[in-house]
Amino acid sequence: MKTILLGVSGSISAYKAADLTNQLTKLGYQVDVVMTKSSQEFITPLAIQSLSHRLVHTDVMDEPEPAKINHIELAKRADLFLVAPASANIIGKMANGIADDLLSTVALALLPETKKLIAPAMNTYMYQNPIVQRNLATLQEVGYEEIQPREALLACGDYGRGALANVSEIVERTMNLLKE
């Protein structure tokens, strides 16, 4: 059974992580989920846990198994690391090696052969910002594949590219990458 490590960061699209988790679990993948503190303002770990049937990880200092270092074990188990939604904040942290929460720490501990996907979701102007684009390019240089956001009417009222890709597209890209 393939293991997907799903990172959920603080974006209004975080609620879509429930559908994503549910679909991937029903397809037979083991889905381990890491949620940032801000993502938990949009959706609860309990909702995700109910769909993944797995413990949801939220705190770098939480060590459920005393004999194992949680962020290292999560990283080692992952066949694929997927961050969806990926906020500008987590993209910046990951691109610059900042490890100040569980999700950014796990990202640094991934094995070289782990497949990596990132699905940004944010305001159009944030997504188009040269700093965010540079950070995404940096992540692509180290093996991340980007699932481009959609053009849509965003939660802020702006229309443009920034909405999380459709869950079906994320699932399809995940499945295709795991087949390689």
Side-chain angles (χ1 to χ4, degrees):
M1 176 184 298
K2 299 274 186 176
T3 299
I4 298 167
L5 181 56
L6 173 61
V8 183
S9 68
S11 162
I12 186 64
S13 296
Y15 77 93
K16 293 183 180 183
D19 188 23
L20 184 57
T21 300
N22 189 41
Q23 287 191 39
L24 292 170
T25 300
K26 285 181 176 177
L27 287 168
Y29 298 108
Q30 179 173 292
V31 183
D32 288 326
V33 180
V34 174
M35 297 179 70
T36 64
K37 184 177 180 182
S38 56
S39 73
Q40 295 170 62
E41 297 293 324
F42 295 105
I43 186 167
T44 67
L46 181 59
I48 302 292
Q49 181 175 298
S50 297
L51 297 165
S52 70
H53 311 291
R54 311 260 313 146
L55 179 67
V56 172
H57 305 273
T58 59
D59 188 339
V60 74
M61 297 314 225
D62 235 1
E63 296 292 344
E65 296 181 54
K68 297 179 180 176
I69 306 300
N70 196 38
H71 66 277
I72 302 297
E73 289 302 313
L74 287 167
K76 284 181 178 178
R77 266 198 316 255
D79 294 296
L80 182 138
F81 179 58
L82 166 64
V83 183
S87 65
N89 184 49
I90 198 65
I91 290 167
K93 287 180 185 184
M94 290 167 49
N96 290 286
I98 297 168
D100 66 353
D101 64 10
L102 183 56
L103 183 53
S104 56
T105 302
V106 167
L108 284 178
L110 294 169
L111 301 177
E113 64 270 16
T114 303
K115 296 172 185 337
K116 302 171 202 69
L117 282 171
I118 191 160
M122 64 196 74
N123 170 272
T124 300
Y125 300 108
M126 293 174 73
Y127 180 71
Q128 293 172 344
N129 186 293
I131 296 168
V132 172
Q133 289 301 307
R134 184 177 63 226
N135 286 337
L136 283 166
T138 297
L139 290 174
Q140 289 169 5
E141 287 172 13
V142 296
Y144 282 82
E145 290 186 28
E146 179 185 358
I147 303 173
Q148 296 253 329
R150 296 177 293 113
E151 281 192 23
L153 180 62
L154 304 173
C156 63
D158 290 344
Y159 183 87
R161 185 166 300 282
L164 183 68
N166 289 322
V167 170
S168 59
E169 180 183 354
I170 297 170
V171 168
E172 184 179 328
R173 290 278 301 273
T174 299
M175 288 173 33
N176 289 340
L177 201 54
L178 284 170
K179 287 178 187 171
E180 291 180 4

